[in-house]
Amino acid sequence: MNNPLFVITNIHELVGIIFIILGVGFDILGCLGLLRLPDVYNRLQATTKCVTLGTCSILLGTFIIKGFGATGFKAILTMVFLLLTTPVAAHALARGAHKSGVKLCDKSVCDKYKDDQDALS
Amino acid sequence: MIMSKIILFIFGFLVWVFLVWPADWQHILVGVAVAGFVAFVTGDMFVRRVHHFKNPSRYFWFLYYVVFFLWECVKANIDVALRVMNPRLPINPGIVKVKTTLKSDTGLTFLANSITLTPGTLCVDIDEEKGYLYIHWIDVRSQDINKATELIVKRFEKVLKRVFE
Amino acid sequence: MKKESTWKVRYFLGLIFLLVVLSSIIFFDIPSLISWQSPFLARCFFMLMFCFFLCLLRIFRGPTPADRAVAIDTLGILIVGFCAILSIPTGRDWYLDIAIAWALQSFIGALALAKYLEGRGFDE
């Protein structure tokens, strides 16, 4: 393996592979955030942003490599589904976590939601 | 109500054509049958205000919104990645309350989604009657309700008001 | 975060662990059954497997059920990217069918887990 680019012959394959490498890098950073950050809400922030856009970048790379075929259009469709569904799932999980009584971490500044819930009940 | 069914039929048919891309006439026949059945059964609840679809300026504002939103998304990723890599972990989290003037369901959904995917903010709950949003902010810059609204919501609300209201 | 003085040591150890794993993925040729189109794709595939390992670690350690639910949701999104990478060298487009179905199922699973966390029944 002297020349690692030996199979890539076209420019669009090179661009697609660059997109895929960027996406995998963002995925790794998102999973590191899942491990490092202190409480559930911060972890949700990291994973929702980084992992969603990383996976969308991988799918965009697939679309660029494969072109306007069966695979390419399915990749675009999967991208739209992901961008529409992931924030809704994150919103539901954050709400469920707050309702089930998970506290915010020690560093946090204010919790207006808990104040309003206490004022209601 | 018939317009709502026709719009749902077009959406379903487009998704089907994308799914079976090198489309034969057999695929298109099955797609027409299935999309027609689904639109006939559940078409009434898809859109409430049909006249919004006839206004061409809304489509241009929607395209502008998509481009703006993707750019904000990329900025959010770089922001979170830098925070995670930093050894001191510079976070200052908290849940703040902001208010919005959007009323329609679709507008509120898109507003919450775009808040979730932009730098450092995550929508926790929506109070629909009073128009309040509870937002988890990874770097709280202001606990005041008006200042936080200015910082988080305003830039999306300007665009979304032209698309969905 | 038990002691304030140990965070430097922990950061350093984690950095060394990450560098060892990532460089062993990058510089060694891991054998696999698929004939990859380009060596970069094989590296990306194994790095995604490393991401799965990080998620599994959070599922194993998570102090509350909400942490585990978040990690499961993340795992579901990563599998979509996994299917997309697999569809390039094999040339089979049904890997992306699996990806679409998995994305929708993982979304519905996350909603069900959120309902469970809220402490309500599934039919409300």
Short mmCIF file of all heavy atoms in Angstrom, two decimals, chain A residues 26 29 32-33 36-38 41-42 45-46 48-50 53 69 73-74 77 83-84 87-88 91 95 98 107-113 116, chain B residues 18-19 21 73 76-77 80-81 84-87 89 91-97 113 116-118 120-125 134 136 138 143:
data_model
loop_
_atom_site.label_atom_id
_atom_site.label_comp_id
_atom_site.label_asym_id
_atom_site.label_seq_id
_atom_site.Cartn_x
_atom_site.Cartn_y
_atom_site.Cartn_z
N PHE A 26 -16.80 13.94 13.17
CA PHE A 26 -17.83 14.55 14.01
C PHE A 26 -18.53 13.50 14.87
O PHE A 26 -18.87 13.76 16.03
CB PHE A 26 -18.86 15.28 13.17
CG PHE A 26 -18.45 16.68 12.84
CD1 PHE A 26 -18.47 17.14 11.55
CD2 PHE A 26 -18.06 17.54 13.85
CE1 PHE A 26 -18.09 18.42 11.26
CE2 PHE A 26 -17.68 18.82 13.56
CZ PHE A 26 -17.69 19.26 12.26
N LEU A 29 -16.37 12.79 17.84
CA LEU A 29 -16.42 13.88 18.83
C LEU A 29 -17.74 13.87 19.59
O LEU A 29 -17.77 14.11 20.80
CB LEU A 29 -16.22 15.22 18.13
CG LEU A 29 -14.78 15.46 17.73
CD1 LEU A 29 -14.66 16.75 16.97
CD2 LEU A 29 -13.94 15.53 18.98
N LEU A 32 -17.55 11.19 22.16
CA LEU A 32 -16.70 11.64 23.27
C LEU A 32 -17.46 12.57 24.19
O LEU A 32 -17.34 12.51 25.42
CB LEU A 32 -15.48 12.36 22.72
CG LEU A 32 -14.25 11.52 22.51
CD1 LEU A 32 -13.13 12.41 22.07
CD2 LEU A 32 -13.89 10.87 23.81
N GLY A 33 -18.29 13.45 23.58
CA GLY A 33 -19.12 14.33 24.40
C GLY A 33 -20.09 13.54 25.23
O GLY A 33 -20.37 13.89 26.38
N ARG A 36 -17.92 12.55 28.15
CA ARG A 36 -17.26 13.52 29.01
C ARG A 36 -18.20 14.45 29.76
O ARG A 36 -17.91 14.84 30.88
CB ARG A 36 -16.31 14.39 28.18
CG ARG A 36 -15.03 13.74 27.84
CD ARG A 36 -14.01 14.77 27.45
NE ARG A 36 -13.55 15.52 28.60
CZ ARG A 36 -12.92 16.67 28.53
NH1 ARG A 36 -12.68 17.19 27.36
NH2 ARG A 36 -12.53 17.30 29.61
N LEU A 37 -19.30 14.87 29.11
CA LEU A 37 -20.12 15.93 29.71
C LEU A 37 -20.86 15.44 30.95
O LEU A 37 -21.14 14.25 31.08
CB LEU A 37 -21.10 16.45 28.66
CG LEU A 37 -20.41 17.22 27.54
CD1 LEU A 37 -21.35 17.52 26.42
CD2 LEU A 37 -19.87 18.51 28.08
N PRO A 38 -21.20 16.34 31.88
CA PRO A 38 -21.61 15.87 33.20
C PRO A 38 -23.05 15.38 33.37
O PRO A 38 -23.25 14.52 34.20
CB PRO A 38 -21.36 17.10 34.08
CG PRO A 38 -21.44 18.24 33.17
CD PRO A 38 -20.88 17.77 31.88
N TYR A 41 -28.71 16.44 30.04
CA TYR A 41 -29.08 17.47 29.07
C TYR A 41 -27.87 17.88 28.23
O TYR A 41 -27.99 18.04 27.01
CB TYR A 41 -29.69 18.65 29.80
CG TYR A 41 -30.77 18.22 30.75
CD1 TYR A 41 -30.53 18.10 32.10
CD2 TYR A 41 -32.02 17.89 30.26
CE1 TYR A 41 -31.51 17.68 32.96
CE2 TYR A 41 -33.01 17.46 31.11
CZ TYR A 41 -32.75 17.36 32.47
OH TYR A 41 -33.72 16.92 33.29
N ASN A 42 -26.70 18.00 28.87
CA ASN A 42 -25.51 18.34 28.10
C ASN A 42 -25.14 17.22 27.15
O ASN A 42 -24.72 17.46 26.02
CB ASN A 42 -24.35 18.62 29.05
CG ASN A 42 -24.59 19.86 29.84
OD1 ASN A 42 -25.02 20.85 29.30
ND2 ASN A 42 -24.36 19.79 31.13
N GLN A 45 -27.29 17.48 24.18
CA GLN A 45 -26.83 18.54 23.29
C GLN A 45 -25.75 18.02 22.36
O GLN A 45 -25.85 18.17 21.15
CB GLN A 45 -26.22 19.67 24.12
CG GLN A 45 -27.14 20.37 25.04
CD GLN A 45 -27.33 21.78 24.61
OE1 GLN A 45 -26.84 22.16 23.58
NE2 GLN A 45 -28.06 22.53 25.37
N ALA A 46 -24.72 17.39 22.95
CA ALA A 46 -23.59 16.94 22.14
C ALA A 46 -24.03 15.91 21.12
O ALA A 46 -23.74 16.04 19.93
CB ALA A 46 -22.51 16.36 23.04
N THR A 48 -27.05 15.11 19.93
CA THR A 48 -28.02 15.51 18.92
C THR A 48 -27.37 16.32 17.82
O THR A 48 -27.64 16.09 16.65
CB THR A 48 -29.13 16.34 19.57
OG1 THR A 48 -29.62 15.63 20.67
CG2 THR A 48 -30.23 16.59 18.61
N LYS A 49 -26.49 17.23 18.18
CA LYS A 49 -25.89 18.05 17.13
C LYS A 49 -24.85 17.29 16.35
O LYS A 49 -24.95 17.13 15.14
CB LYS A 49 -25.29 19.30 17.74
CG LYS A 49 -26.35 20.19 18.26
CD LYS A 49 -25.78 21.40 18.90
CE LYS A 49 -26.88 22.19 19.49
NZ LYS A 49 -27.18 21.77 20.85
N CYS A 50 -23.82 16.78 17.04
CA CYS A 50 -22.69 16.22 16.32
C CYS A 50 -23.05 14.94 15.58
O CYS A 50 -22.69 14.78 14.42
CB CYS A 50 -21.55 15.94 17.29
SG CYS A 50 -20.66 17.40 17.73
N LEU A 53 -25.42 15.64 12.42
CA LEU A 53 -24.79 16.24 11.25
C LEU A 53 -23.67 15.36 10.71
O LEU A 53 -23.43 15.33 9.51
CB LEU A 53 -24.28 17.64 11.54
CG LEU A 53 -24.23 18.40 10.23
CD1 LEU A 53 -25.54 19.05 9.95
CD2 LEU A 53 -23.15 19.40 10.21
N GLY A 69 -28.50 7.70 -8.71
CA GLY A 69 -29.02 6.37 -8.95
C GLY A 69 -29.99 6.00 -7.85
O GLY A 69 -30.50 6.87 -7.14
N PHE A 73 -30.57 8.54 -4.35
CA PHE A 73 -31.85 9.12 -3.93
C PHE A 73 -32.28 8.60 -2.57
O PHE A 73 -32.85 9.34 -1.76
CB PHE A 73 -32.93 8.85 -4.97
CG PHE A 73 -32.88 9.82 -6.09
CD1 PHE A 73 -32.72 9.39 -7.38
CD2 PHE A 73 -32.98 11.17 -5.84
CE1 PHE A 73 -32.66 10.29 -8.41
CE2 PHE A 73 -32.93 12.07 -6.87
CZ PHE A 73 -32.76 11.63 -8.16
N LYS A 74 -31.97 7.32 -2.30
CA LYS A 74 -32.31 6.81 -0.96
C LYS A 74 -31.50 7.52 0.10
O LYS A 74 -32.00 7.77 1.21
CB LYS A 74 -32.09 5.31 -0.91
CG LYS A 74 -33.27 4.54 -1.42
CD LYS A 74 -32.96 3.09 -1.51
CE LYS A 74 -34.01 2.43 -2.35
NZ LYS A 74 -33.59 1.10 -2.75
N LEU A 77 -33.17 10.79 0.86
CA LEU A 77 -34.40 10.56 1.62
C LEU A 77 -34.09 10.28 3.09
O LEU A 77 -34.74 10.82 4.00
CB LEU A 77 -35.15 9.39 1.00
CG LEU A 77 -36.64 9.36 1.22
CD1 LEU A 77 -37.25 10.57 0.56
CD2 LEU A 77 -37.23 8.12 0.64
N LEU A 83 -32.98 14.52 9.65
CA LEU A 83 -33.05 15.91 10.10
C LEU A 83 -34.42 16.23 10.67
O LEU A 83 -34.54 17.10 11.52
CB LEU A 83 -32.74 16.86 8.94
CG LEU A 83 -31.27 17.06 8.64
CD1 LEU A 83 -31.11 18.01 7.49
CD2 LEU A 83 -30.57 17.63 9.85
N LEU A 84 -35.47 15.54 10.22
CA LEU A 84 -36.80 15.83 10.77
C LEU A 84 -37.05 15.12 12.08
O LEU A 84 -37.71 15.66 12.95
CB LEU A 84 -37.90 15.43 9.77
CG LEU A 84 -38.13 16.40 8.64
CD1 LEU A 84 -39.25 15.90 7.76
CD2 LEU A 84 -38.52 17.75 9.18
N PRO A 87 -34.41 15.84 16.17
CA PRO A 87 -34.71 16.85 17.19
C PRO A 87 -35.98 16.55 17.98
O PRO A 87 -36.02 16.84 19.18
CB PRO A 87 -34.87 18.14 16.38
CG PRO A 87 -34.24 17.90 15.12
CD PRO A 87 -34.37 16.47 14.84
N VAL A 88 -36.97 15.92 17.32
CA VAL A 88 -38.19 15.59 18.05
C VAL A 88 -37.91 14.54 19.11
O VAL A 88 -38.38 14.63 20.26
CB VAL A 88 -39.27 15.10 17.06
CG1 VAL A 88 -40.53 14.79 17.79
CG2 VAL A 88 -39.52 16.15 16.02
N HIS A 91 -36.08 16.20 21.98
CA HIS A 91 -37.01 16.99 22.78
C HIS A 91 -37.82 16.10 23.73
O HIS A 91 -37.93 16.37 24.93
CB HIS A 91 -37.92 17.74 21.81
CG HIS A 91 -39.15 18.30 22.38
ND1 HIS A 91 -39.15 19.42 23.16
CD2 HIS A 91 -40.43 17.90 22.29
CE1 HIS A 91 -40.38 19.69 23.52
NE2 HIS A 91 -41.17 18.78 23.01
N ARG A 95 -37.60 16.08 27.89
CA ARG A 95 -38.80 16.29 28.70
C ARG A 95 -39.04 15.13 29.64
O ARG A 95 -39.33 15.30 30.83
CB ARG A 95 -39.99 16.43 27.75
CG ARG A 95 -41.07 17.29 28.26
CD ARG A 95 -42.11 17.34 27.19
NE ARG A 95 -43.25 16.57 27.63
CZ ARG A 95 -44.47 17.08 27.69
NH1 ARG A 95 -44.67 18.30 27.32
NH2 ARG A 95 -45.47 16.35 28.10
N HIS A 98 -36.59 15.21 32.49
CA HIS A 98 -36.90 16.22 33.50
C HIS A 98 -38.11 15.81 34.33
O HIS A 98 -38.13 16.01 35.55
CB HIS A 98 -37.16 17.57 32.84
CG HIS A 98 -36.95 18.72 33.76
ND1 HIS A 98 -37.84 19.02 34.76
CD2 HIS A 98 -35.94 19.61 33.86
CE1 HIS A 98 -37.39 20.07 35.42
NE2 HIS A 98 -36.25 20.44 34.90
N LYS A 107 -22.79 22.46 38.18
CA LYS A 107 -22.30 23.69 37.60
C LYS A 107 -23.42 24.60 37.13
O LYS A 107 -23.18 25.77 36.84
CB LYS A 107 -21.43 23.37 36.39
CG LYS A 107 -20.03 22.97 36.70
CD LYS A 107 -19.31 22.87 35.38
CE LYS A 107 -17.92 22.31 35.53
NZ LYS A 107 -17.31 22.16 34.22
N SER A 108 -24.65 24.08 37.01
CA SER A 108 -25.65 24.81 36.24
C SER A 108 -26.16 26.02 37.02
O SER A 108 -26.13 26.08 38.25
CB SER A 108 -26.80 23.90 35.87
OG SER A 108 -27.25 23.22 36.99
N VAL A 109 -26.64 27.01 36.26
CA VAL A 109 -26.90 28.33 36.81
C VAL A 109 -28.34 28.46 37.29
O VAL A 109 -28.60 28.86 38.43
CB VAL A 109 -26.60 29.39 35.73
CG1 VAL A 109 -26.76 30.76 36.33
CG2 VAL A 109 -25.21 29.22 35.20
N CYS A 110 -29.29 28.14 36.43
CA CYS A 110 -30.68 28.41 36.78
C CYS A 110 -31.55 27.31 36.21
O CYS A 110 -31.16 26.60 35.28
CB CYS A 110 -31.13 29.75 36.21
SG CYS A 110 -30.92 29.85 34.46
N ASP A 111 -32.74 27.11 36.77
CA ASP A 111 -33.68 26.12 36.27
C ASP A 111 -35.08 26.73 36.32
O ASP A 111 -35.82 26.52 37.27
CB ASP A 111 -33.59 24.83 37.10
CG ASP A 111 -34.33 23.70 36.44
OD1 ASP A 111 -35.03 23.97 35.46
OD2 ASP A 111 -34.20 22.55 36.90
N LYS A 112 -35.41 27.50 35.29
CA LYS A 112 -36.71 28.18 35.28
C LYS A 112 -37.86 27.19 35.15
O LYS A 112 -38.95 27.42 35.66
CB LYS A 112 -36.77 29.17 34.12
CG LYS A 112 -35.77 30.28 34.20
CD LYS A 112 -36.26 31.36 35.13
CE LYS A 112 -35.23 32.44 35.31
NZ LYS A 112 -34.88 33.14 34.10
N TYR A 113 -37.60 26.07 34.49
CA TYR A 113 -38.68 25.10 34.25
C TYR A 113 -39.15 24.50 35.56
O TYR A 113 -40.35 24.40 35.83
CB TYR A 113 -38.14 24.03 33.30
CG TYR A 113 -39.16 23.03 32.83
CD1 TYR A 113 -40.36 23.46 32.26
CD2 TYR A 113 -38.92 21.66 32.91
CE1 TYR A 113 -41.28 22.56 31.83
CE2 TYR A 113 -39.83 20.76 32.46
CZ TYR A 113 -41.01 21.22 31.92
OH TYR A 113 -41.92 20.31 31.49
N ASP A 116 -41.19 27.03 37.52
CA ASP A 116 -42.57 27.19 37.06
C ASP A 116 -43.43 25.98 37.41
O ASP A 116 -44.59 26.11 37.75
CB ASP A 116 -42.58 27.41 35.55
CG ASP A 116 -42.26 28.85 35.24
OD1 ASP A 116 -41.85 29.55 36.17
OD2 ASP A 116 -42.42 29.27 34.08
N PHE B 18 -38.96 8.39 -5.00
CA PHE B 18 -37.58 8.41 -4.53
C PHE B 18 -37.15 7.04 -4.02
O PHE B 18 -36.00 6.65 -4.17
CB PHE B 18 -37.41 9.43 -3.42
CG PHE B 18 -37.10 10.80 -3.93
CD1 PHE B 18 -37.52 11.91 -3.26
CD2 PHE B 18 -36.37 10.97 -5.09
CE1 PHE B 18 -37.24 13.18 -3.73
CE2 PHE B 18 -36.08 12.21 -5.57
CZ PHE B 18 -36.51 13.32 -4.89
N LEU B 19 -38.09 6.32 -3.39
CA LEU B 19 -37.72 5.01 -2.82
C LEU B 19 -37.43 3.99 -3.91
O LEU B 19 -36.54 3.17 -3.75
CB LEU B 19 -38.84 4.49 -1.93
CG LEU B 19 -38.74 4.79 -0.46
CD1 LEU B 19 -39.91 4.22 0.25
CD2 LEU B 19 -37.49 4.18 0.10
N TRP B 21 -36.21 4.31 -7.25
CA TRP B 21 -35.91 5.33 -8.23
C TRP B 21 -35.98 4.88 -9.69
O TRP B 21 -36.73 5.48 -10.44
CB TRP B 21 -34.58 6.04 -7.97
CG TRP B 21 -34.26 6.84 -9.16
CD1 TRP B 21 -33.23 6.68 -10.01
CD2 TRP B 21 -35.06 7.90 -9.71
NE1 TRP B 21 -33.31 7.58 -11.04
CE2 TRP B 21 -34.43 8.33 -10.89
CE3 TRP B 21 -36.26 8.51 -9.35
CZ2 TRP B 21 -34.92 9.35 -11.68
CZ3 TRP B 21 -36.75 9.53 -10.14
CH2 TRP B 21 -36.08 9.95 -11.29
N CYS B 73 -26.40 25.05 11.57
CA CYS B 73 -26.12 23.68 12.01
C CYS B 73 -24.62 23.41 12.00
O CYS B 73 -24.08 22.87 12.97
CB CYS B 73 -26.80 22.75 11.02
SG CYS B 73 -27.61 21.40 11.70
N ALA B 76 -23.03 25.16 14.83
CA ALA B 76 -23.30 24.49 16.09
C ALA B 76 -22.37 23.32 16.30
O ALA B 76 -21.86 23.11 17.40
CB ALA B 76 -24.75 24.00 16.11
N ASN B 77 -22.13 22.56 15.22
CA ASN B 77 -21.25 21.40 15.35
C ASN B 77 -19.86 21.80 15.75
O ASN B 77 -19.26 21.18 16.63
CB ASN B 77 -21.19 20.66 14.03
CG ASN B 77 -22.24 19.63 13.96
OD1 ASN B 77 -22.06 18.57 14.49
ND2 ASN B 77 -23.34 19.97 13.38
N VAL B 80 -19.80 22.81 19.48
CA VAL B 80 -19.86 21.71 20.43
C VAL B 80 -18.58 20.89 20.39
O VAL B 80 -18.06 20.46 21.43
CB VAL B 80 -21.10 20.84 20.16
CG1 VAL B 80 -21.07 19.59 21.00
CG2 VAL B 80 -22.34 21.61 20.48
N ALA B 81 -18.01 20.70 19.19
CA ALA B 81 -16.78 19.91 19.08
C ALA B 81 -15.64 20.59 19.83
O ALA B 81 -14.87 19.94 20.54
CB ALA B 81 -16.42 19.73 17.62
N VAL B 84 -16.10 20.07 23.54
CA VAL B 84 -15.80 18.72 24.02
C VAL B 84 -14.30 18.47 24.07
O VAL B 84 -13.79 17.86 25.00
CB VAL B 84 -16.51 17.69 23.12
CG1 VAL B 84 -16.01 16.31 23.38
CG2 VAL B 84 -17.99 17.73 23.36
N MET B 85 -13.57 19.02 23.08
CA MET B 85 -12.13 18.76 23.05
C MET B 85 -11.36 19.55 24.10
O MET B 85 -10.26 19.16 24.46
CB MET B 85 -11.58 19.08 21.66
CG MET B 85 -11.78 17.97 20.68
SD MET B 85 -10.82 18.23 19.21
CE MET B 85 -11.63 19.64 18.53
N ASN B 86 -11.94 20.66 24.57
CA ASN B 86 -11.23 21.50 25.52
C ASN B 86 -11.05 20.76 26.85
O ASN B 86 -12.00 20.24 27.40
CB ASN B 86 -12.06 22.76 25.74
CG ASN B 86 -11.25 23.86 26.34
OD1 ASN B 86 -10.32 23.59 27.10
ND2 ASN B 86 -11.58 25.07 26.02
N PRO B 87 -9.82 20.70 27.41
CA PRO B 87 -9.64 19.94 28.65
C PRO B 87 -10.34 20.54 29.85
O PRO B 87 -10.65 19.83 30.81
CB PRO B 87 -8.12 19.96 28.85
CG PRO B 87 -7.62 21.04 27.99
CD PRO B 87 -8.56 21.13 26.84
N LEU B 89 -13.37 21.88 29.85
CA LEU B 89 -14.80 21.67 29.67
C LEU B 89 -15.60 22.95 29.98
O LEU B 89 -16.27 23.05 31.00
CB LEU B 89 -15.28 20.52 30.57
CG LEU B 89 -16.40 19.65 30.05
CD1 LEU B 89 -15.95 19.01 28.75
CD2 LEU B 89 -16.70 18.56 31.03
N ILE B 91 -18.34 24.78 30.22
CA ILE B 91 -19.80 24.84 30.11
C ILE B 91 -20.36 25.61 31.29
O ILE B 91 -19.75 25.69 32.35
CB ILE B 91 -20.43 23.44 30.03
CG1 ILE B 91 -20.06 22.63 31.24
CG2 ILE B 91 -20.03 22.74 28.78
CD1 ILE B 91 -20.77 21.34 31.32
N ASN B 92 -21.58 26.14 31.08
CA ASN B 92 -22.22 27.01 32.06
C ASN B 92 -23.72 26.81 31.91
O ASN B 92 -24.43 27.71 31.51
CB ASN B 92 -21.79 28.46 31.75
CG ASN B 92 -22.32 29.41 32.76
OD1 ASN B 92 -22.65 29.01 33.87
ND2 ASN B 92 -22.44 30.66 32.40
N PRO B 93 -24.23 25.59 32.15
CA PRO B 93 -25.56 25.25 31.66
C PRO B 93 -26.68 25.75 32.56
O PRO B 93 -26.47 26.15 33.71
CB PRO B 93 -25.53 23.72 31.66
CG PRO B 93 -24.59 23.37 32.70
CD PRO B 93 -23.59 24.46 32.81
N GLY B 94 -27.89 25.70 32.03
CA GLY B 94 -29.06 26.12 32.77
C GLY B 94 -30.28 26.09 31.86
O GLY B 94 -30.15 26.04 30.64
N ILE B 95 -31.47 26.10 32.47
CA ILE B 95 -32.69 26.12 31.67
C ILE B 95 -33.30 27.51 31.75
O ILE B 95 -33.59 28.00 32.85
CB ILE B 95 -33.69 25.06 32.17
CG1 ILE B 95 -33.14 23.67 31.97
CG2 ILE B 95 -35.00 25.19 31.44
CD1 ILE B 95 -34.07 22.59 32.37
N VAL B 96 -33.47 28.17 30.61
CA VAL B 96 -34.05 29.51 30.59
C VAL B 96 -35.41 29.46 29.90
O VAL B 96 -35.77 28.47 29.27
CB VAL B 96 -33.14 30.51 29.86
CG1 VAL B 96 -31.84 30.66 30.58
CG2 VAL B 96 -32.93 30.11 28.44
N LYS B 97 -36.16 30.55 30.08
CA LYS B 97 -37.51 30.63 29.51
C LYS B 97 -37.51 31.74 28.48
O LYS B 97 -37.06 32.85 28.76
CB LYS B 97 -38.49 30.93 30.63
CG LYS B 97 -39.93 30.94 30.22
CD LYS B 97 -40.81 30.78 31.41
CE LYS B 97 -41.15 32.11 32.05
NZ LYS B 97 -42.29 32.01 32.97
N ASN B 113 -37.48 22.53 16.43
CA ASN B 113 -36.44 21.73 15.79
C ASN B 113 -35.22 22.56 15.47
O ASN B 113 -34.09 22.12 15.71
CB ASN B 113 -36.98 21.14 14.49
CG ASN B 113 -37.80 19.92 14.72
OD1 ASN B 113 -38.06 19.57 15.86
ND2 ASN B 113 -38.22 19.28 13.68
N THR B 116 -33.24 23.28 18.52
CA THR B 116 -32.48 22.13 19.01
C THR B 116 -31.20 21.93 18.22
O THR B 116 -30.19 21.52 18.78
CB THR B 116 -33.35 20.89 18.94
OG1 THR B 116 -34.50 21.12 19.72
CG2 THR B 116 -32.64 19.69 19.47
N LEU B 117 -31.23 22.22 16.91
CA LEU B 117 -30.04 21.93 16.11
C LEU B 117 -29.10 23.12 15.97
O LEU B 117 -28.19 23.07 15.17
CB LEU B 117 -30.43 21.44 14.73
CG LEU B 117 -30.90 20.00 14.68
CD1 LEU B 117 -31.28 19.62 13.29
CD2 LEU B 117 -29.84 19.06 15.16
N THR B 118 -29.30 24.22 16.71
CA THR B 118 -28.40 25.36 16.58
C THR B 118 -27.54 25.51 17.83
O THR B 118 -27.82 24.88 18.84
CB THR B 118 -29.19 26.64 16.34
OG1 THR B 118 -30.25 26.65 17.25
CG2 THR B 118 -29.68 26.71 14.94
N GLY B 120 -25.65 25.32 20.99
CA GLY B 120 -25.76 25.35 22.43
C GLY B 120 -27.15 25.39 23.03
O GLY B 120 -27.28 25.62 24.20
N THR B 121 -28.20 25.16 22.25
CA THR B 121 -29.54 25.24 22.82
C THR B 121 -30.32 23.97 22.54
O THR B 121 -30.12 23.32 21.52
CB THR B 121 -30.32 26.42 22.23
OG1 THR B 121 -30.23 26.35 20.82
CG2 THR B 121 -29.77 27.72 22.70
N LEU B 122 -31.21 23.60 23.46
CA LEU B 122 -32.01 22.38 23.32
C LEU B 122 -33.38 22.66 23.91
O LEU B 122 -33.49 23.07 25.05
CB LEU B 122 -31.33 21.24 24.06
CG LEU B 122 -32.08 19.93 24.18
CD1 LEU B 122 -31.86 19.13 22.95
CD2 LEU B 122 -31.60 19.15 25.37
N CYS B 123 -34.42 22.41 23.11
CA CYS B 123 -35.76 22.74 23.56
C CYS B 123 -36.26 21.65 24.51
O CYS B 123 -36.24 20.48 24.17
CB CYS B 123 -36.67 22.83 22.36
SG CYS B 123 -38.27 23.41 22.76
N VAL B 124 -36.68 22.01 25.73
CA VAL B 124 -37.13 21.02 26.69
C VAL B 124 -38.65 20.91 26.71
O VAL B 124 -39.20 19.82 26.68
CB VAL B 124 -36.60 21.34 28.10
CG1 VAL B 124 -37.14 20.37 29.11
CG2 VAL B 124 -35.11 21.27 28.12
N ASP B 125 -39.37 22.05 26.76
CA ASP B 125 -40.82 21.94 26.77
C ASP B 125 -41.43 23.18 26.14
O ASP B 125 -40.81 24.24 26.08
CB ASP B 125 -41.35 21.77 28.20
CG ASP B 125 -42.72 21.13 28.19
OD1 ASP B 125 -43.26 20.95 27.10
OD2 ASP B 125 -43.22 20.81 29.28
N TYR B 134 -39.23 26.50 27.01
CA TYR B 134 -38.19 26.27 28.01
C TYR B 134 -37.00 25.66 27.31
O TYR B 134 -37.13 24.64 26.66
CB TYR B 134 -38.69 25.34 29.11
CG TYR B 134 -39.84 25.92 29.87
CD1 TYR B 134 -41.14 25.62 29.52
CD2 TYR B 134 -39.62 26.78 30.92
CE1 TYR B 134 -42.19 26.16 30.21
CE2 TYR B 134 -40.66 27.33 31.61
CZ TYR B 134 -41.95 27.01 31.26
OH TYR B 134 -42.98 27.57 31.92
N HIS B 136 -32.88 24.50 27.31
CA HIS B 136 -31.62 24.21 28.01
C HIS B 136 -30.48 24.81 27.22
O HIS B 136 -30.31 24.50 26.05
CB HIS B 136 -31.43 22.71 28.15
CG HIS B 136 -30.19 22.36 28.90
ND1 HIS B 136 -29.02 22.11 28.26
CD2 HIS B 136 -29.96 22.24 30.21
CE1 HIS B 136 -28.10 21.85 29.17
NE2 HIS B 136 -28.64 21.92 30.35
N ILE B 138 -26.39 25.66 26.93
CA ILE B 138 -25.14 25.11 27.45
C ILE B 138 -24.23 26.22 27.97
O ILE B 138 -23.33 25.99 28.75
CB ILE B 138 -24.45 24.26 26.38
CG1 ILE B 138 -23.54 23.22 27.00
CG2 ILE B 138 -23.65 25.09 25.43
CD1 ILE B 138 -23.03 22.23 26.04
N GLN B 143 -30.08 35.52 31.99
CA GLN B 143 -31.25 34.83 32.52
C GLN B 143 -32.52 35.63 32.31
O GLN B 143 -33.61 35.14 32.60
CB GLN B 143 -31.07 34.56 34.00
CG GLN B 143 -29.90 33.68 34.29
CD GLN B 143 -29.85 33.30 35.74
OE1 GLN B 143 -30.86 33.30 36.41
NE2 GLN B 143 -28.67 32.97 36.22
#
